[in-house]
Amino acid sequence: MAQVSLVNSVLNRDVTSLGKQNLFDTSLETCWNSEQGTPQHILVEFAPCVCISKVRVQFQGGFAGKDTRLIDMDRKEEICPLFPDDNNKMQVLELPVSEQGVARRRIKLQFATSTDFYGRIVVYSLDFCGSVADDAEPTAKNTDSTCASDAVITIV
């Protein structure tokens, strides 16, 4: 249903052990680990379009994203800021109600800064909750709620 199409860096270019595939593998033994520097980002593409109501993320404490933004890449506009905590717990970050009924195909999770002095981000788990959109295309904002369920959107 969706795939991570791009992360802007991987620590030491070790894509096998620390690459984007580890974001959605449901294993807490693996992670995506960015290279140092800011900003960092994760680009996710959905097919078909989805309505996102929540973002679930688990960082490694000390390597969490700060000044985090969710961006709609098709509309080239910010959906909303997100405020994750600097800890090891699974965090559920809810989107504003006005954004939950909007069909989206490509989103970017952008970390402008990090809690790490060198700007590294470590993510053990990333999920999106919501539903498949009624609309086939991400054209205009739909004010009708098409996100009736809060199922985890499958990432492959």
Side-chain angles (χ1 to χ4, degrees):
M1 176 185 258
Q3 66 178 5
V4 177
S5 59
L6 181 70
V7 293
N8 66 314
S9 72
V10 176
L11 184 65
N12 299 326
R13 296 187 180 134
D14 186 358
V15 295
T16 304
S17 299
L18 303 171
K20 64 185 180 181
Q21 72 279 1
N22 297 330
L23 289 167
F24 302 107
D25 67 0
T26 68
S27 171
L28 294 180
E29 301 295 318
T30 62
C31 64
W32 166 63
N33 192 333
S34 76
E35 191 63 76
Q36 66 184 14
T38 55
Q40 300 289 337
H41 68 261
I42 301 167
L43 180 66
V44 181
E45 294 189 34
F46 298 95
C49 291
V50 297
C51 294
I52 300 168
S53 58
K54 298 173 187 164
V55 178
R56 297 188 328 173
V57 63
Q58 184 174 8
F59 294 100
Q60 178 175 325
F63 297 88
K66 286 176 31 181
D67 193 16
T68 302
R69 306 215 177 304
L70 193 61
I71 300 168
D72 186 318
M73 295 304 292
D74 292 314
R75 292 183 184 87
K76 305 286 190 235
E77 65 185 23
E78 181 178 314
I79 298 167
C80 64
L82 299 172
F83 303 99
D85 294 324
D86 182 16
N87 62 41
N88 297 335
K89 298 177 183 173
M90 177 63 77
Q91 301 176 53
V92 179
L93 308 169
E94 193 160 342
L95 275 65
V97 173
S98 61
E99 296 292 342
Q100 292 182 14
V102 180
R104 304 184 193 285
R105 183 175 314 279
R106 295 182 326 131
I107 62 162
K108 180 192 285 187
L109 193 57
Q110 183 169 341
F111 310 103
T113 58
S114 168
T115 58
D116 174 54
F117 179 77
Y118 298 103
R120 296 169 293 188
I121 305 284
V122 179
V123 178
Y124 280 91
S125 180
L126 178 64
D127 292 313
F128 297 92
C129 299
S131 64
V132 174
D134 292 338
D135 301 338
E137 293 297 320
T139 52
K141 286 193 176 182
N142 178 2
T143 56
D144 298 328
S145 177
T146 56
C147 296
S149 69
D150 270 342
V152 173
I153 299 169
T154 305
I155 309 292
V156 292

